[in-house]
Each structure stands twice: as C-alpha cells, then as structure tokens.
Amino acid sequence: MRQRIRTALCWLLTLAYGYAGWRHLATPEPFLAITPPWVPRPELVVAVTGIAEIAGAIGLTIPAMRKAAGWGLAFYALCVWPANLHHALANVAIGGATLGWWYHGPRLAAQPLIIWSALWASGAVDWPFRHGTDR
C-alpha cells in the first residue's frame, strides 16, 4: 500500500512540477512579480527555475534518476521559499489581485511538506515510515 501511495505522489509531483515549469517559461510575469528585489537577473532566474522544475519532473519518471530528482526538487523548493515569503510579506499583487494570509499562511507552512514529499515520493528518504527491520 505504501508503495502505491509513493508512486501516486511521484506522478502527482511529476505533473505539478512539469506544469509549474512550463508556466515559468510560458508566462513568467507572475513569477517575476514575486521574485525578491535582491535576486540578480530575475528573468534568467525565473527561466532557470522553470527548466529545473521540468528537469525534476522528467527525472521523477526515470527510475535511475528518481532519487536525484527528488533531492533536486527538494532543494529547489527550499530555494524558492524566499520568493514565497516575499510574495506574502510584500503583499505582491498578481494580475491586479492580492492574496491574503488565508493563502500565504498555509502556503508558507506547507513548504516543508512540499520538500519532504519530493524526497519521500522519489524514494530518497523513508522517514517517518521506516520501522526497525523495515529497511
């Protein structure tokens, strides 16, 4: 059962990261808007993050690359946390609309879960499900 859940989550992440990567490349404006002002060359950074998401999504579909893709996507999710924090604290409008803390609070709190899900779905970690002899 655990393996079926892991496989389903892996495919969900593949679709989510693939779509997000495509959005970074096709419509970079919302991502540029939330990029903190201290980030150099934001257009390049947004494009590279899109490519990283697509590469990670593809990596999740290749068994020999899956763990490396999981580590890469976890690191990616850690690295984009400042943009999510900037989006929240600066109340950055996307398409003329701002999102309140009803969105930003759960989104920021979910970041560790997003990081963990890439690691667990890829098989890079078993925590917290490994038990004693279940290695």
Side-chain angles (χ1 to χ4, degrees):
M1 180 64 162
R2 184 183 329 161
Q3 189 56 42
R4 291 172 73 181
I5 295 169
R6 180 176 267 169
T7 299
L9 181 57
C10 193
W11 281 107
L12 176 67
L13 290 173
T14 297
L15 294 173
Y17 276 110
Y19 176 72
W22 171 75
R23 290 292 312 266
H24 274 75
L25 298 173
T27 55
E29 295 80 16
F31 305 101
L32 289 169
I34 68 169
T35 302
W38 50 263
V39 172
R41 302 192 58 198
E43 296 85 3
L44 178 62
V45 170
V46 168
V48 168
T49 59
I51 293 167
E53 286 175 308
I54 292 169
I58 292 168
L60 288 176
T61 69
I62 303 169
M65 298 297 301
R66 193 166 292 141
K67 286 183 183 179
W71 281 108
L73 289 171
F75 183 66
Y76 164 84
L78 180 65
C79 289
V80 299
W81 211 340
N84 297 326
L85 191 59
H86 174 68
H87 187 194
L89 296 178
N91 201 27
V92 177
I94 305 291
T98 57
L99 301 170
W101 279 97
W102 62 268
Y103 169 81
H104 293 299
R107 174 66 180 90
L108 291 170
Q111 200 72 12
L113 180 61
I114 293 167
I115 292 168
W116 171 83
S117 67
L119 294 171
W120 187 76
S122 69
V125 300
D126 283 328
W127 180 87
F129 301 110
R130 186 184 336 185
H131 298 288
T133 61
D134 189 25
R135 294 178 197 253

